[in-house]
Amino acid sequence: MSIRTPRPFNLIAELTYRCPLRCAYCSNPVNYAEVREALNADVWSRVFSEAAALGVLHVGLTGGEPTLHPEVLDIVRGAARAELYSHLVTAGTTLDRQGLEEFKNAGLRSVQLSIQDSRAESSDAVAGVESFDRKIGFAADVRALDLPLILNVPLHRNNLEHVGDIIDLAAKLGAHRVELANTQYNGWALHNRASLMPTPEQLERAERVVEEARARIGPRMDILWVLPDYFEKFPKPCSGGWGLQAMVVAPNGDVMPCHGASVIPELDFANVRDHDLAWIWTDSDAFNRFRGTDWMPEPCQSCDRREIDFGGCRCQAFLLTGNASATDPVCHLSPDHHLVEEARKESRVELPLVYRSMRGVPAGS
């Protein structure tokens, strides 16, 4: 490996895009039904061994719903053999306590559960199916088996007013951490942007509630608050920086620098069935295309933040401008920043949600 090439520490293993939920903000590709699931447990185990050799410490088992992969327990065992810390990212509707205990015995180290709101009706409304009560029961099973529990609650216009109740629910469930991640607009969330976009006033009120909860709860539970990019002055680095910290393996074996990179048509992703992970990380074009700062246009090239945010999100730049090399329009210095300013006005628009579907996004939506 080249001395200049960074070492990754996180592998995101997208085992399958199948999921019993239909969340309107899902970050999976809108054409996920076209992605063939090609990796069995043996291939995943090899990938985990190669990842560990690269320096990876953590593997997130995600999807879709990762527990729907027919060999998921053997995949968990493969991660354990590679001595990776395995973390299950789940909707919490497919496993009973016995099934979860099998995951723990196979080597699973922690669980992240997604919940859509603090109350059943509104949670089920955005998930597209009745699921809230089962999720609450699953959280109890996680804690009963003494597995660390992280609660992830994507926030948007329709649940931001409940953020205090959401935090209280997380504490009641015994979560070690609650991630209040305001929706990022890619995948299905982009198509539902007008229905999910919050108002600045909502965000300000919610942030005050979060600060009050942090003071009240203290170190008993970590409370993470992440603003949506569209309301930031500067963009966030794409997955910590394109090709700098993490890699994503899709269900078909394609390896990407972030989970949304498949939307960029100019990129040709190497596949774990054809190449080892070390070559993909170090030498493949997709990982090197936006790695570092040499590729940057102005105003990024001359900006003193170029090694802080690395020009922002490449997927977001493409989705908003059609050019993956453009400065992320979230940045107030971007010549395309008006696109974000215009999008923020959508908080005044009322449209029905378009739910995640095998058929993709309906025409005209």
Side-chain angles (χ1 to χ4, degrees):
M1 180 186 297
S2 167
I3 295 175
R4 295 181 59 190
T5 304
R7 296 176 66 87
F9 66 86
N10 187 31
L11 176 70
I12 301 162
E14 296 182 329
L15 304 188
T16 176
Y17 286 144
R18 287 175 291 156
C19 184
L21 271 57
R22 303 175 59 216
C23 298
Y25 56 74
C26 182
S27 61
N28 284 167
V30 293
N31 65 335
Y32 71 92
E34 301 171 12
V35 179
R36 187 169 67 92
E37 297 177 16
L39 307 186
N40 60 27
D42 289 340
V43 177
W44 277 114
S45 294
R46 173 177 61 78
V47 168
F48 295 153
S49 296
E50 293 174 357
L54 270 173
V56 168
L57 303 173
H58 175 278
V59 57
L61 305 174
T62 183
E65 174 51 58
T67 61
L68 294 181
H69 192 291
E71 297 180 295
V72 63
L73 280 174
D74 287 333
I75 291 171
V76 174
R77 294 186 185 101
R81 286 194 299 272
E83 299 183 347
L84 298 178
Y85 184 101
S86 60
H87 177 68
L88 180 67
V89 181
T90 178
T93 63
T94 57
L95 292 176
D96 57 16
R97 184 176 300 192
Q98 180 179 349
L100 184 59
E101 188 168 15
E102 291 177 353
F103 274 71
K104 181 179 179 180
N105 293 337
L108 184 70
R109 302 288 296 279
S110 64
V111 175
Q112 175 177 305
L113 171 65
S114 67
I115 289 184
Q116 285 66 44
D117 206 334
S118 58
R119 53 201 74 181
E121 182 179 2
S122 50
S123 180
D124 294 345
V126 76
V129 297
E130 292 186 8
S131 55
F132 180 81
D133 291 341
R134 177 67 194 97
K135 288 170 178 285
I136 299 303
F138 179 78
D141 291 341
V142 173
R143 298 304 297 125
L145 292 172
D146 201 29
L147 282 165
L149 173 65
I150 296 174
L151 213 63
N152 177 265
V153 188
L155 299 176
H156 44 83
R157 181 198 306 171
N158 304 309
N159 66 1
L160 263 169
E161 304 295 344
H162 309 155
V163 69
D165 292 339
I166 290 169
I167 293 171
D168 289 342
L169 175 62
K172 180 181 178 181
L173 293 175
H176 291 71
R177 175 185 177 99
V178 58
E179 297 181 349
L180 304 170
N182 280 278
T183 299
Q184 305 297 332
Y185 298 105
N186 50 40
W188 291 84
L190 179 63
H191 290 273
N192 282 299
R193 192 175 67 184
S195 303
L196 300 172
M197 182 70 66
T199 66
E201 294 77 18
Q202 280 186 305
L203 290 167
E204 290 172 9
R205 287 194 298 269
E207 192 160 21
R208 287 196 297 270
V209 171
V210 169
E211 290 304 319
E212 291 167 0
R214 283 172 173 161
R216 172 168 48 87
I217 293 173
R220 289 187 292 119
M221 182 176 70
D222 184 25
I223 302 174
L224 176 68
W225 166 261
V226 181
L227 272 175
D229 285 1
Y230 283 42
F231 290 85
E232 297 273 23
K233 183 177 181 181
F234 297 104
K236 302 177 183 71
C238 184
S239 297
W242 184 278
L244 297 182
Q245 297 182 5
M247 63 179 80
V248 178
V249 182
N252 64 357
D254 285 350
V255 188
M256 304 177 290
C258 74
H259 69 274
S262 62
V263 302
I264 303 177
E266 67 194 70
L267 296 179
D268 184 20
F269 300 104
N271 194 287
V272 295
R273 292 172 294 163
D274 305 317
H275 302 279
D276 65 81
L277 212 56
W279 182 89
I280 295 173
W281 174 260
T282 306
D283 297 316
S284 68
D285 175 67
F287 273 83
N288 283 295
R289 184 72 65 91
F290 303 115
R291 180 180 270 154
T293 61
D294 290 346
W295 62 272
M296 289 181 175
E298 295 291 353
C300 297
Q301 191 60 245
S302 302
C303 183
D304 58 6
R305 292 182 55 87
R306 63 184 177 278
E307 293 186 5
I308 298 174
D309 56 41
F310 297 98
C313 178
R314 297 301 88 221
C315 306
Q316 193 157 254
F318 174 77
L319 290 170
L320 289 174
T321 72
N323 178 11
S325 299
T327 300
D328 187 338
V330 162
C331 182
H332 73 290
L333 300 174
S334 166
D336 300 305
H337 184 63
H338 65 280
L339 297 173
V340 171
E341 294 176 329
E342 292 165 5
R344 287 200 292 258
K345 298 175 184 176
E346 292 177 353
S347 61
R348 297 190 292 269
V349 177
E350 294 291 341
L351 293 174
L353 293 173
V354 176
Y355 288 100
R356 182 186 193 269
S357 167
M358 292 289 287
R359 295 184 296 274
V361 176
S365 67

